[in-house]
């Protein structure tokens, strides 16, 4: 996992320069936080599995809170770059790019998101004033703006409204898929989105 985040274009902006030990700590923490939960994983377990001392961990990230923020920013950067690369590689008309966001989500769910959205999970676990929750909010706001831009390019009557509808479908598909309550949830959400996109462009 690359410890960077990206702007709306998908271009990366670095969090901080990390040594090899810092990268190893972040990669280990990211895996453990996502697989086991943020509260359940302590810095001792992360340091031990990463093969470093707690002092090294604190030297690189300052605190567990700092490591949590770095984890969420890194995951945010990875999702943004994955999504933008997928959409930029799509040769269809602008309206089809809106639906292609669901293809990207489906791929992400299969490869990196079996336990659901890391940002939703973190928001549930973290207190309201934790810096990690702001990272989660920024991630959702970025996606909403990104989809609104795609909707504008497609000629939607109300791009902001369409973006809100598609965000809700994305979030619902992510949750129901991870909980195994609805089979092929992302495919169903994409078909629903196609109706909304068609209505918005009519």
């Amino acid at each position: 996992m690359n410890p960077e985040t990206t702007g709306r274009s998908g271009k990366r902006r670095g969090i901080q320069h990390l040594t090899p030990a810092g990268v190893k700590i972040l990669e280990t923490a990211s895996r453990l936080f996502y697989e086991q939960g943020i509260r359940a994983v302590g810095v001792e377990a992360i340091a031990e599995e990463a093969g470093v001392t707690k002092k090294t961990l604190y030297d690189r990230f300052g605190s567990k809170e700092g490591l949590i923020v770095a984890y969420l920013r890194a995951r945010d950067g990875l999702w943004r770059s994955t999504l933008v690369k997928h959409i930029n590689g799509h040769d269809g008309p602008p309206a089809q790019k809106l639906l292609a966001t669901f293809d990207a989500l489906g791929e992400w769910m299969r490869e990196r998101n079996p336990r659901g959205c890391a940002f939703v999970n973190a928001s549930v676990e973290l207190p309201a004033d934790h810096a990690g929750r702001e990272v989660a909010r920024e991630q959702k706001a970025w996606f909403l703006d990104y989809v609104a831009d795609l909707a504008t390019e497609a000629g939607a009557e109300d791009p902001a409204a369409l973006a809100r509808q598609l965000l809700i479908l994305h979030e619902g598909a992510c949750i129901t898929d991870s909980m195994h309550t609805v089979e092929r949830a992302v495919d169903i959400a994409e078909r629903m989105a196609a109706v909304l996109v068609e209505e918005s462009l009519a």
Side-chain angles (χ1 to χ4, degrees):
M1 178 175 291
N2 196 324
E4 297 179 328
T5 187
T6 56
R8 287 171 61 178
S9 67
K11 295 181 179 180
R12 296 177 184 270
R13 52 186 174 85
I15 296 173
Q16 58 185 5
H17 176 71
L18 292 177
T19 63
V23 171
K24 180 64 175 177
I25 293 167
L26 182 55
E27 289 177 344
T28 301
S30 297
R31 177 172 51 80
L32 294 178
F33 283 154
Y34 184 73
E35 292 177 354
Q36 300 180 25
I38 291 173
R39 289 183 179 177
V41 178
V43 293
E44 296 86 354
I46 295 169
E48 181 178 354
E49 188 151 340
V52 301
T53 64
K54 284 200 299 181
K55 181 180 184 303
T56 299
L57 186 152
Y58 286 126
D59 284 345
R60 300 300 184 275
F61 297 95
S63 63
K64 182 179 178 180
E65 178 175 343
L67 184 53
I68 292 168
V69 169
Y71 150 62
L72 292 171
R73 284 180 175 163
R75 192 169 179 91
D76 179 20
L78 186 58
W79 162 239
R80 293 189 193 199
S81 61
T82 298
L83 176 64
V84 172
K85 181 179 179 180
H86 186 92
I87 299 305
N88 287 347
H90 195 277
D91 295 328
Q96 287 299 314
K97 290 185 177 182
L98 288 164
L99 302 182
T101 63
F102 291 89
D103 295 335
L105 176 63
E107 180 179 330
W108 178 262
M109 292 292 295
R110 288 189 297 272
E111 296 181 1
R112 299 182 180 275
N113 223 47
R115 293 192 67 250
C117 177
F119 306 100
V120 172
N121 295 347
S123 293
V124 171
E125 287 199 78
L126 299 175
D129 60 349
H130 195 287
R133 293 194 64 164
E134 182 59 30
V135 177
R137 285 190 289 269
E138 289 174 357
Q139 193 277 329
K140 301 303 180 186
W142 172 84
F143 181 75
L144 186 63
D145 287 344
Y146 181 73
V147 175
D149 288 344
L150 294 177
T152 299
E153 293 172 11
E157 181 179 359
D158 188 341
L162 180 59
R164 290 192 294 269
Q165 292 171 327
L166 298 188
L167 172 63
I168 290 170
L169 288 176
H170 264 261
E171 295 300 311
C174 186
I175 292 170
T176 52
D177 182 274
S178 64
M179 295 181 68
H180 307 291
T181 52
V182 177
E183 292 186 6
R184 304 184 67 83
V186 177
D187 292 340
I188 295 172
E190 183 174 352
R191 291 197 294 271
M192 296 171 67
V195 175
L196 293 172
V197 171
E198 184 177 357
E199 290 178 349
S200 182
L201 299 180

